[in-house]
Amino acid sequence: ERGWRLACMCRVNGPVALQVGAWQAEILDDRRSLDFVPGDGYGIAIDLGTTTLVGQLLDLATGAVLAVSTALNPQTAYGSDVMSRVQLALTGEGSTRLVSSIRERLGELVTDLVRTARIEPARLAGVVLVGNTVMHHLFGGIDLTPLSRYPFQPDHLESIELRSGLLGWSLPETVRVGFLSCLGGFVGSDLLAGILATGLYRRERAGVLVDLGTNGEIVVGDRSGLLCASTAAGPAFEGGEISAGMRAATGAIDAVRIDDGRLGCHVLGDVEPRGICGSGLVDAVAAGLQLKSIEPSGRLAGGQSVMPLTPSVQLTQADIRELQLSKAAIASGIEILSRRLGLQPSSIDRAYLAGAFGNYVDVNSARSIGLLPFPVAAIEPAGNTALAGAKLALLAGERLESIAREIRERTEHLSLAAEADFHQIFVEQMGFPHVAS
């Protein structure tokens, strides 16, 4: 009933691979207190991520979270990144599979929330979803062709409202299911929700919100105006395309420190290391720079081809280059948006880091490799701002439309690739800062 299958009840008819996970990093939900006007009934907020799904059921009178449910996005079976799914969606059959799989899994998640909270489905006032532009289109059954080719400008960025019957969900037809509007080509409603959650659009002084994922999303500005952009950071922050890379699970090196001139690694689950995740990768390169094992250019010093971390895990020259590409994508986006607003990143008053990687990465390591060019005191891990914003949208009730309109009117989407100096700035950001002796 809840999606589990008992291995002891399965008959093996051929070769199989069995993976046993003793420890897994929690999917980020959101438990912060919210400032809102009390309403009636209950509501569900959902962060529809490329990899993970997180839903919370709220009492609209108190804002209390009555149930939490998480799941993997079933579309990962068709590709871990959004562009793989865009290409599949261009075929009629592929689009149907992608749309039906996510609607079905979200229906199960909603049913699980209602059952856990023990409420009558008829008392649900609504469901609010947020996600990137591709997730927005796939949930709504919208043609993804414009996102498959230059200039990657979708025809439909507006909010979507569907009835539960059309989705096949076990909810009364009166329940409104809405997906918040997006801000640009690959800047979705998850960033709009983040702007709402952090209050960036009402700040007196300039701030930044950065979602450090495969598709990095950045917004810079204050109440006078915001600039946003997306940048293809690649999967290195999540351990992808790294020779020993893995997600933050049992056996992953998640932190690296220098102890008496030597590298010391922390391994999740207190087991023998199997690989390294994103936060450990950033730490390892930062430590390598400090020990002069890695040059500012990114080249391994002394003609070495690898940098050993433990007897079984090492970084290669290609691994370091992958991190350089990812960090250059984010840093150049921050640089260009800041310049357009006449700001220096070092003068930013507050820098919010959204998402799992932003929550777990060591700020000092991120600064030392040039990923985050902000003062340490300004950097604030902000958790799941997409889910927090979805909850605020849910609690806003009839005021939601005007709030969303206010954010969209104050926000300008910028295509980084179309900027004349983008490639030059990107190349400049590839290098690492010089570390003082």
Side-chain angles (χ1 to χ4, degrees):
E1 184 174 274
R2 300 188 65 151
W4 288 89
R5 301 292 181 268
L6 300 179
C8 61
M9 302 297 289
C10 296
R11 184 182 299 277
V12 178
N13 295 317
V16 297
L18 179 64
Q19 180 175 342
V20 181
W23 190 95
Q24 190 78 21
E26 291 185 6
I27 297 173
L28 282 184
D29 59 17
D30 181 80
R31 305 291 180 131
R32 75 191 78 187
S33 58
L34 304 170
D35 184 17
F36 68 101
V37 177
D40 297 322
Y42 303 91
I44 293 175
I46 297 175
D47 173 20
L48 199 177
T50 306
T51 305
T52 56
L53 315 174
V54 188
Q56 291 187 337
L57 189 147
L58 281 70
D59 183 333
L60 301 183
T62 65
V65 175
L66 304 182
V68 180
S69 185
T70 63
L72 291 176
N73 188 326
Q75 295 172 340
T76 55
Y78 307 107
S80 60
D81 62 286
V82 292
M83 290 311 296
S84 296
R85 297 179 211 177
V86 169
Q87 293 303 316
L88 177 61
L90 298 184
T91 67
E93 183 181 346
S95 177
T96 300
R97 291 204 304 268
L98 289 167
V99 172
S100 61
S101 66
I102 192 58
R103 289 181 176 181
E104 181 180 344
R105 181 60 57 85
L106 287 172
E108 295 169 355
L109 185 143
V110 167
T111 299
D112 182 55
L113 287 168
V114 172
R115 183 190 300 118
T116 302
R118 298 181 179 179
I119 67 166
E120 290 295 326
R123 297 214 56 200
L124 273 180
V127 179
V128 170
L129 298 98
V130 299
N132 63 48
T133 311
V134 174
M135 295 302 104
H136 168 274
H137 279 42
L138 288 174
F139 178 78
I142 299 169
D143 181 20
L144 278 166
T145 301
L147 282 173
S148 69
R149 60 196 182 202
Y150 186 82
F152 308 104
Q153 292 298 329
D155 297 329
H156 189 109
L157 292 172
E158 299 305 310
S159 59
I160 302 168
E161 185 167 321
L162 299 172
R163 291 297 175 182
S164 59
L166 175 65
L167 296 168
W169 294 2
S170 301
L171 295 177
E173 281 291 328
T174 54
V175 178
R176 300 174 60 185
V177 180
F179 204 119
L180 294 191
S181 56
C182 301
L183 294 173
F186 287 97
V187 182
S189 56
D190 48 356
L191 194 67
L192 183 147
I195 294 171
L196 176 60
T198 58
L200 198 61
Y201 70 115
R202 291 184 174 174
R203 284 182 57 87
E204 294 286 347
R205 299 183 62 186
V208 175
L209 171 62
V210 184
D211 188 343
L212 295 167
T214 302
N215 177 54
E217 295 174 314
I218 308 165
V219 59
V220 181
D222 52 33
R223 62 184 303 171
S224 63
L226 300 167
L227 269 180
C228 71
S230 63
T231 182
F237 294 143
E238 297 173 353
E241 301 298 329
I242 303 301
S243 59
M246 61 182 291
R247 293 189 180 276
T250 302
I253 296 173
D254 71 322
V256 179
R257 297 290 179 266
I258 299 174
D259 184 14
D260 195 24
R262 300 169 63 88
L263 296 178
C265 300
H266 178 267
V267 182
L268 294 174
D270 195 24
V271 298
E272 287 298 311
R274 294 193 296 122
I276 189 166
C277 64
S279 60
L281 176 64
V282 172
D283 276 352
V285 171
L289 288 167
Q290 187 172 341
L291 292 173
K292 310 297 185 184
S293 301
I294 301 175
E295 299 173 358
S297 66
R299 184 183 297 275
L300 283 165
Q304 298 297 310
S305 59
V306 298
M307 178 176 133
L309 302 179
T310 71
S312 59
V313 179
Q314 60 188 18
L315 291 186
T316 68
Q317 183 65 72
D319 295 336
I320 298 170
R321 294 300 185 213
E322 282 294 332
L323 180 63
Q324 286 181 275
L325 290 169
S326 293
K327 84 96 178 175
I330 296 294
S332 57
I334 293 171
E335 178 73 18
I336 290 172
L337 294 182
S338 299
R339 284 188 188 182
R340 282 286 298 268
L341 292 175
L343 300 169
Q344 290 293 328
S346 59
S347 68
I348 294 295
D349 175 66
R350 182 67 62 204
Y352 302 100
L353 303 186
F357 179 76
N359 194 65
Y360 295 118
V361 69
D362 182 89
V363 169
N364 289 301
S365 294
R367 288 188 76 251
S368 67
I369 69 168
L371 174 62
L372 300 174
F374 314 112
V376 172
I379 301 174
E380 179 181 323
N384 192 335
T385 58
L387 183 62
K391 291 195 293 185
L392 285 171
L394 184 68
L395 292 165
E398 295 180 354
R399 297 180 296 115
L400 172 58
E401 187 175 339
S402 62
I403 294 173
R405 187 188 309 114
E406 180 183 358
I407 293 175
R408 291 198 306 271
E409 289 176 349
R410 294 186 185 185
T411 307
E412 177 186 351
H413 176 253
L414 191 69
S415 174
L416 295 178
E419 292 294 297
D421 54 355
F422 171 71
H423 295 289
Q424 178 183 342
I425 294 174
F426 183 90
V427 171
E428 291 172 354
Q429 293 292 347
M430 279 284 290
F432 295 118
H434 286 265
V435 179
S437 301

